[in-house]
Amino acid sequence: MHGRRYSDGLHQAIEAKEAAEGVRVEEETRTYATVTFQNYFRMYQKLAGMTGTAVTEAEEFHKIYKLEVVVIPTNKPTLRKDLIDKIYKNEAAKFNQVVQEVEDMHKEGRPILIGTVSVEKSEVLSNIMTRKGIKHEVLNAKLHEKEAAIVAPGGQSRRGHCCY
């Protein structure tokens, strides 16, 4: 993002860290004016846009911009199945169920991607799967190049292999 700089000395701190690589520490820029997104968009006579999440913010769009949100139905029926929530007594019970589902999907040769709320939880789940002998890969933004190679063939069947 050429021409953009962090404020409050953060950019200079990054430049100082990279000084050994020939990066020059430059003077901090000054902000003379700011505008909120809401006020910036009000400067235009006509506003329009499209998003899949506007309906949940319809009240805000009306209050701030005096805009109506219109829901446009899908062209084709939705293939997604919305299932009921599953609630577990504790984390161990939840992770045991996840591991069971992974084993079932492995038997079918189905790829699976599991999302966790933190790096720590991904590592806990990985340890459980390792103890059970389940082949898997952990994608938690620690090893970028390795993770890029893992996700490159995404969605392809890798019988007996899990990735999350």
Side-chain angles (χ1 to χ4, degrees):
M1 293 177 51
H2 182 70
R4 304 280 304 267
R5 295 179 60 79
Y6 293 114
S7 62
D8 302 321
L10 178 58
H11 213 95
Q12 287 74 23
I14 294 168
E15 289 170 335
K17 177 185 171 288
E18 300 297 327
E21 302 297 322
V23 175
R24 230 181 67 216
V25 178
E26 296 189 16
E27 193 175 323
E28 187 171 359
T29 57
R30 290 190 183 132
T31 301
Y32 290 104
T34 61
V35 63
T36 65
F37 282 120
Q38 290 87 347
N39 287 333
Y40 176 74
F41 291 132
R42 282 186 186 154
M43 294 173 170
Y44 290 88
Q45 288 184 328
K46 291 184 181 184
L47 287 177
M50 192 162 76
T51 176
T53 57
V55 78
T56 58
E57 302 305 321
E59 187 178 335
E60 183 180 350
F61 280 110
H62 181 71
K63 275 184 191 173
I64 295 171
Y65 306 111
K66 307 289 186 254
L67 289 176
E68 193 181 335
V69 172
V70 177
V71 175
I72 299 172
T74 58
N75 181 32
K76 296 180 180 177
T78 302
L79 298 176
R80 177 189 70 236
K81 290 183 194 172
D82 290 328
L83 305 174
I84 60 168
D85 292 339
K86 294 181 180 179
I87 299 171
Y88 299 93
K89 188 173 183 175
N90 54 43
E91 187 176 87
K94 178 171 76 172
F95 282 0
N96 286 334
Q97 180 62 37
V98 168
V99 170
Q100 181 59 54
E101 289 186 33
V102 167
E103 288 177 319
D104 293 345
M105 290 187 187
H106 276 196
K107 290 175 189 168
E108 297 175 22
R110 292 177 57 192
I112 181 171
L113 179 65
I114 302 167
T116 60
V117 297
S118 68
V119 170
E120 292 76 20
K121 298 294 182 195
S122 72
E123 291 170 347
V124 169
L125 191 54
S126 175
N127 289 337
I128 296 168
M129 292 173 68
T130 299
R131 284 195 304 270
K132 286 209 144 218
I134 299 172
K135 291 182 194 172
H136 64 283
E137 302 287 348
V138 178
L139 305 174
N140 58 18
K142 283 189 168 182
L143 305 169
H144 299 291
E145 287 183 24
K146 179 184 174 200
E147 292 179 20
I150 292 167
V151 298
Q156 297 176 14
S157 176
R158 294 170 72 191
R159 191 169 288 281
H161 202 83
C162 175
C163 177
Y164 66 96

